């Protein structure tokens, strides 16, 4: 099933009736897991369809829908009519009929929303990422379904009620669908008009409000407008040329991602957030952190997390496989591989980083006191991270207002689910060092000394930091003045990384 179909798109006229039929047959994320079982469900994500075909040999309504829309196999018209409003599905173009059998004209994939919603992502046949068709041999202009990048971006987005949200490069519409749950007005843009059509179908079939759909590149379709939330999973792949709209930005190197980030400040309202997935070059003549710092608009705080780095050969091979080039003639594959390496050699690129970029429009940043955190964190995290990202910026606001003296008058509590580990040789009287480890959010770990461990352990919001340090100094026979002088930096780090949470005056306990 490597074939990609680019038929004309269905009409959403009877999407409500189709949605009701899908739900009545339990064609949902939970329903699929129950029917297929975990192994067959996981196999679908690896583009392996045989287990799912075996699991749907019956003639129950859900078997019929899985074969039609997920496995994209023909089904007898009579079976389809028993499950779906067949005349409307044929008239609107969701299905086509031939020789007594019907086929799906688009991929319809159940997707569970963050609050248990039953949603459906609509995309081109054979283009659901990890779906029956897998990735490969895609034609120009096709629209992909949901993939790992889509769910990552949805998970890192700050979800709070906003008036306006913008989804740039909407694709099949998953980010616009998420935004529709907490934004009064959603605008979705894409260079590919088919993508806007699929977004319309995704929203309609998911029972969500329509979005304001606009064709064009980056911020061009929304010139002069500002938003409370901006999200984008852009075509960030750094490639020689722009063969595939869904992944290749058509600009040299990482210029598309840089342009998107640099132009965001003037599009955000005060306090608004922007979230992007991006690739960036690791070049021989600069540090990658400096490269990314130069992208950040002057009026925004930023938190940039590099999740992965690949050398240029790994990166080229990944995206040559993505487009199916590894299945071409060996000489043709070698020529395309060579073209990727030529591109990287010409630009001095030795590797490519992938990660998340979050910006927040900030008056403090505009006044020259920006908080820009750029870090590498390849370890496991707990999604959704939106709440942790919002808390990160709140802590940055707190810390930039506190000098060391103010920090010592502050009250703190230990964050939830922080554990202490002692590391050292078996039988040793004292550990070599102590590690504090988070089990939530970013799941960070940090080394602390005995003072830091003791301080964190007694932080319950009742005493100011300075009083706690005085008590620790007495227990450890240390000079309290020296301890107060050298500890604020450690407290600041524990707050910045989310191990300690400041307690506002109204929330402090007596003591």
């Amino acid at each position: 099933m490597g074939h990609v179909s680019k038929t004309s798109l269905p009409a959403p006229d009877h999407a409500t009736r189709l949605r009701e039929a899908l739900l009545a047959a339990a064609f949902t994320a939970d329903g699929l897991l129950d029917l297929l079982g975990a192994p067959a469900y996981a196999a679908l994500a690896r583009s392996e369809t045989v287990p799912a075909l075996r699991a749907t040999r019956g003639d129950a309504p859900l078997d019929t829908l899985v074969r039609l829309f997920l496995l994209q196999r023909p089904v007898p018209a009579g079976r389809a009519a028993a499950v779906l409003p067949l005349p409307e599905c044929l008239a609107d173009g969701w299905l086509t009929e031939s020789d007594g059998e019907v086929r799906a004209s688009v991929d319809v994939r159940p997707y569970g929303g963050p609050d248990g919603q039953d949603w459906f992502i609509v995309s081109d046949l054979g283009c659901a990422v990890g779906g029956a068709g897998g990735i490969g041999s895609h034609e120009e202009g096709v629209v992909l379904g949901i993939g790992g990048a889509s769910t990552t971006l949805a998970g890192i987005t700050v979800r709070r009620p906003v008036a306006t949200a913008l989804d740039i490069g909407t694709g099949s519409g998953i980010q616009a669908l998420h935004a529709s749950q907490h934004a009064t007005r959603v605008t979705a843009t894409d260079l590919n008009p088919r993508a806007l059509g699929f977004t319309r179908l995704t929203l309609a079939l998911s029972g969500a409000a329509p979005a304001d759909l606009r064709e064009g590149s980056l911020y061009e379709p929304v010139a002069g407008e500002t938003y409370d939330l901006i999200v984008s999973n852009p075509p960030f792949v750094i490639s020689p040329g722009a063969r595939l709209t869904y992944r290749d930005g058509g600009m040299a190197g990482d210029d598309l991602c840089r342009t998107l980030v640099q132009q965001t400040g003037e599009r955000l309202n005060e306090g608004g957030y922007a979230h992007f997935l991006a690739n960036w070059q690791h070049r021989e003549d600069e540090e990658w952190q400096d490269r990314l710092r130069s992208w950040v608009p002057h009026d925004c705080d930023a938190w940039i997390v590099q999740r992965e780095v690949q050398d240029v050969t790994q990166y080229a091979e990944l995206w040559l496989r993505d487009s199916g080039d590894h299945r071409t003639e060996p000489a043709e594959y070698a020529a395309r591989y060579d073209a990727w390496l030529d591109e990287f050699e010409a630009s001095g690129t030795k590797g490519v980083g992938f990660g998340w970029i979050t910006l927040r429009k900030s008056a403090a940043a505009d006044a020259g006191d920006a908080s820009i955190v750029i870090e590498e964190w390849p370890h496991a995290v707990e999604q959704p991270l939106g709440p942790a990202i919002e808390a990160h910026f709140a802590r940055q606001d707190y810390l930039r207002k506190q000098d060391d003296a103010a920090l010592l008058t502050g009250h703190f509590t230990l964050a939830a689910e922080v554990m202490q580990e002692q590391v050292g040789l078996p039988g040793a009287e004292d550990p070599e060092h102590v590690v504090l480890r988070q089990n939530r959010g970013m799941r960070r770990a940090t080394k602390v000394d005995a003072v830091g461990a003791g301080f964190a352990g007694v932080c319950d919001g009742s005493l100011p930091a300075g009083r706690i340090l005085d008590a620790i100094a007495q227990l450890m026979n240390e000079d309290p003045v020296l301890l107060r002088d050298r500890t604020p930096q450690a407290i600041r780090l524990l707050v910045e990384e989310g191990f300690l949470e400041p307690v506002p005056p109204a929330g402090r306990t007596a003591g």
Side-chain angles (χ1 to χ4, degrees):
M1 271 194 67
H3 174 66
V4 173
S5 173
K6 279 176 57 178
T7 59
S8 58
L9 298 188
D13 300 358
H14 299 95
T16 301
R17 284 204 63 193
L18 175 55
R19 172 178 171 78
E20 290 169 354
L22 298 179
L23 294 178
F27 188 63
T28 63
D30 289 341
L32 288 184
L33 189 56
D34 289 342
L35 172 68
L36 301 178
Y41 196 64
L44 269 183
R46 301 191 298 271
S47 303
E48 296 292 347
T49 60
V50 172
L53 284 166
R54 292 174 63 85
T56 56
R57 286 178 290 190
D59 57 3
L62 187 53
D63 295 324
T64 301
L65 294 178
V66 170
R67 282 186 163 250
L68 260 180
F69 289 117
L70 250 67
L71 303 176
Q72 291 144 24
R73 299 300 168 104
V75 168
R79 279 184 61 182
V83 186
L84 296 167
L86 188 57
E88 289 94 332
C89 288
L90 290 170
D92 290 351
W94 294 94
L95 302 175
T96 59
E97 185 174 13
S98 176
D99 299 326
E101 291 186 321
V102 295
R103 287 181 176 270
S105 63
V106 290
D107 185 294
V108 177
R109 195 148 302 247
Y111 174 65
D115 297 314
Q117 302 98 327
D118 289 314
W119 289 341
F120 300 96
I121 309 300
V122 188
S123 64
D124 269 313
L125 290 178
C127 292
V129 179
I135 288 279
S137 302
H138 287 331
E139 299 171 17
E140 171 62 14
V142 300
V143 177
L144 298 193
I146 188 170
S150 308
T151 54
T152 294
L153 180 59
I156 68 172
T157 300
V158 172
R159 302 291 175 193
R160 54 179 187 162
V162 294
T164 55
L166 171 64
D167 176 17
I168 300 173
T170 186
S172 56
I174 179 175
Q175 308 306 329
L177 180 56
H178 275 278
S180 72
Q181 303 303 293
H182 63 105
T184 304
R185 180 169 60 84
V186 177
T187 302
T189 71
D190 205 290
L191 191 60
N192 181 0
R194 284 180 66 78
L196 300 177
F198 276 115
T199 294
R200 182 180 291 108
L201 296 174
T202 290
L203 293 171
L205 198 56
S206 298
D212 177 5
L213 304 175
R214 306 189 196 180
E215 184 180 342
S217 176
L218 301 182
Y219 290 110
E220 289 171 6
V222 295
E225 299 178 26
T226 58
Y227 297 86
D228 301 314
L229 173 68
I230 299 173
V231 293
S232 183
N233 177 14
F236 53 67
V237 177
I238 299 169
S239 64
R243 289 171 54 209
L244 302 170
T245 302
Y246 75 89
R247 68 166 208 192
D248 303 322
M251 296 187 188
D254 52 21
D255 280 357
L256 183 135
C257 291
R258 175 185 57 78
T259 302
L260 180 61
V261 173
Q262 286 181 336
Q263 293 180 357
T264 297
E266 61 199 66
R267 301 294 178 202
L268 273 179
N269 292 325
E270 179 64 25
Y273 284 90
H275 304 275
F276 308 115
L277 302 184
N279 273 168
W280 44 80
Q281 292 163 275
H282 283 233
R283 293 168 55 132
E284 294 164 355
D285 56 354
E286 66 180 345
E287 296 294 327
W288 66 270
Q289 295 95 332
D290 293 338
R291 184 175 192 80
L292 287 171
R293 191 171 285 107
S294 72
W295 293 9
V296 177
H298 71 88
D299 51 1
C300 289
D301 296 323
W303 186 15
I304 301 174
V305 181
Q306 179 166 274
R307 296 289 288 158
E308 184 181 7
V309 184
Q310 292 183 307
D311 67 47
V312 291
T313 59
Q314 292 173 312
Y315 188 80
E317 290 160 17
L318 169 69
W319 293 109
L320 286 167
R321 284 195 303 273
D322 168 82
S323 54
D325 288 312
H326 62 304
R327 293 194 286 266
T328 60
E329 289 296 318
E332 186 179 347
Y333 174 75
R336 288 195 169 162
Y337 197 154
D338 231 9
W340 282 71
L341 297 186
D342 283 345
E343 178 90 359
F344 289 132
E345 186 177 331
S347 62
T349 301
K350 57 185 180 180
V352 178
F354 166 79
W356 319 322
I357 297 176
T358 296
L359 305 176
R360 185 190 58 166
K361 185 73 168 282
S362 163
D366 201 23
D369 192 17
S371 164
I372 300 177
V373 176
I374 302 174
E375 62 177 320
E376 189 160 17
W377 189 254
H379 313 292
V381 299
E382 181 195 44
Q383 285 277 31
L385 266 173
I389 288 175
E390 190 169 16
H392 164 89
F393 285 95
R395 293 193 301 270
Q396 296 298 323
D397 286 344
Y398 170 82
L399 287 171
R400 72 179 143 201
K401 295 174 184 171
Q402 312 295 317
D403 60 16
D404 286 356
L407 210 58
L408 293 177
T409 66
H411 293 234
F412 304 93
T413 57
L414 189 65
E417 296 188 42
V418 171
M419 304 299 290
Q420 176 178 305
E421 300 172 3
Q422 296 188 347
V423 181
L425 294 172
E429 187 173 338
D430 296 310
E432 290 179 23
H433 59 262
V434 175
V435 174
L436 298 182
R437 187 178 299 277
Q438 300 168 353
N439 287 317
R440 305 297 301 273
M442 292 290 285
R443 292 180 173 159
R444 295 188 187 278
T446 189
K447 288 183 186 179
V448 291
D449 59 13
V451 173
F455 180 87
V458 298
C459 278
D460 61 4
S462 62
L463 293 174
R467 292 258 310 269
I468 295 173
L469 290 178
D470 291 344
I472 291 174
Q474 191 171 0
L475 284 171
M476 299 180 68
N477 293 317
E478 288 211 32
D479 184 332
V481 175
L482 292 178
L483 197 61
R484 278 176 173 254
D485 281 348
R486 68 178 172 87
T487 307
Q489 185 177 352
I491 296 174
R492 195 174 291 276
L493 182 64
L494 289 174
V495 172
E496 181 171 339
E497 295 194 339
F499 290 94
L500 295 178
E501 297 174 350
V503 179
R508 294 174 185 172
T509 56

